[in-house]
Amino acid sequence: MAAIDPRVAQVLDSRRTEHDSDDEDALIAELEEDDDGAFSALREKRLEQLHAEVSRAKLMKETLHGTYMEIKDERQLMDITTSTKLCVVHFMKPDFNRCRIMDEKLKVLAEKHFDTRFVNINVENAPFLVVKLNVKVLPCVLTFKDGVSSDRIIGFEGIGWKPDSFTTSELEARLLASGVLLRPKMTDDDDRRARARKQVEDVDENDDDWD
């Protein structure tokens, strides 16, 4: 599946943040208003292209792009990686703390990068793929482009200056370098909100331990 037109993606991103509307007519109107004048030269042709791009963006959302989900069966995982242009797969164990950290950050990225499919799978449910793909250290994040494994992150290796305390932006940068993400979307505010949310969750978890 080809990448979404950058202008369409930008408007979709802003609307997703503001009110998550995917009304096609409203999106097209916003794109028209935002155009810098070049739009008028080939207006009708460009409108057709924009309608097609918006429809395709909606289809990608309907096919679970923009979500982060666990796959229970390795055959299903193979189907996803071979039928999706850009895919990130986290091989994990749910009781490993480092895998939970990776999951938290991949979930944030999945909600922002709907050109790319994000999934995870418990290694216990993927014995064949674990051997075939030589997964030995967890967490292990593999990237796939057009069904072919193109890169891997072993543990927290190569993420930021301090791998043990890397930010979601640093993970995004690492995946951008792999070519599995199309453009940066994380901001400093996103990282601050993620840290604040994690602190609240940690406090709640500690409170539960005393119940």
Side-chain angles (χ1 to χ4, degrees):
M1 187 177 290
I4 294 173
D5 179 273
R7 280 297 310 119
V8 176
Q10 184 177 343
V11 172
L12 283 170
D13 290 344
S14 65
R15 295 182 70 87
R16 186 184 183 91
T17 301
E18 293 166 7
H19 36 72
D20 201 29
S21 170
D22 59 1
D23 179 75
E24 185 172 343
D25 291 337
L27 287 170
I28 293 296
E30 187 167 341
L31 286 162
E32 286 188 78
E33 291 172 4
D34 190 67
D35 201 275
D36 60 6
F39 189 88
S40 57
L42 295 171
R43 183 181 181 84
E44 292 304 320
K45 182 177 180 181
R46 185 61 175 147
L47 266 175
E48 290 178 7
Q49 292 174 342
L50 290 174
H51 276 290
E53 292 284 4
V54 170
S55 297
R56 189 159 60 86
K58 290 166 66 177
L59 176 62
M60 292 175 78
K61 291 171 69 175
E62 290 167 2
T63 54
L64 299 178
H65 286 71
T67 66
Y68 184 59
M69 65 180 294
E70 181 177 354
I71 305 302
K72 301 290 188 179
D73 181 84
E74 60 185 342
R75 286 172 296 183
Q76 182 186 1
L77 179 61
M78 286 188 279
D79 289 341
I80 291 171
T81 57
T82 54
S83 63
T84 306
K85 183 174 181 61
L86 301 171
C87 188
V88 175
V89 181
H90 176 204
F91 287 85
M92 57 83 182
K93 288 197 72 173
D95 55 337
F96 282 18
N97 186 54
R98 282 192 157 203
C99 291
R100 288 196 293 266
I101 292 171
M102 184 64 77
D103 272 339
E104 291 167 2
K105 298 183 186 305
L106 288 173
K107 182 177 186 297
V108 173
L109 293 179
E111 293 171 352
K112 288 180 172 292
H113 293 272
F114 59 86
D115 289 293
T116 303
R117 184 79 189 273
F118 287 78
V119 297
N120 69 9
I121 189 166
N122 188 331
V123 290
E124 294 180 356
N125 295 329
F128 171 75
L129 287 177
V130 164
V131 174
K132 181 176 177 61
L133 297 172
N134 198 31
V135 175
K136 294 182 177 180
V137 177
L138 301 180
C140 183
V141 175
L142 271 66
T143 66
F144 291 83
K145 298 169 68 175
D146 295 315
V148 178
S149 177
S150 58
D151 196 5
R152 68 177 58 210
I153 301 172
I154 300 172
F156 295 161
E157 185 178 279
I159 309 175
W161 295 103
K162 296 180 179 179
D164 285 336
S165 58
F166 68 94
T167 65
T168 308
S169 291
E170 289 170 330
L171 177 58
E172 180 187 58
R174 177 67 178 80
L175 293 173
L176 282 164
S178 298
V180 76
L181 303 183
L182 298 183
R183 63 191 187 283
K185 294 190 177 183
M186 289 294 297
T187 66
D188 291 340
D189 285 342
D190 290 328
D191 280 326
R192 280 193 290 270
R193 282 193 293 268
R195 285 194 296 269
R197 184 168 59 249
K198 182 64 168 61
Q199 289 172 352
V200 171
E201 291 171 353
D202 288 344
V203 169
D204 290 342
E205 185 174 319
N206 290 334
D207 287 344
D208 290 341
D209 291 341
W210 288 97
D211 290 343

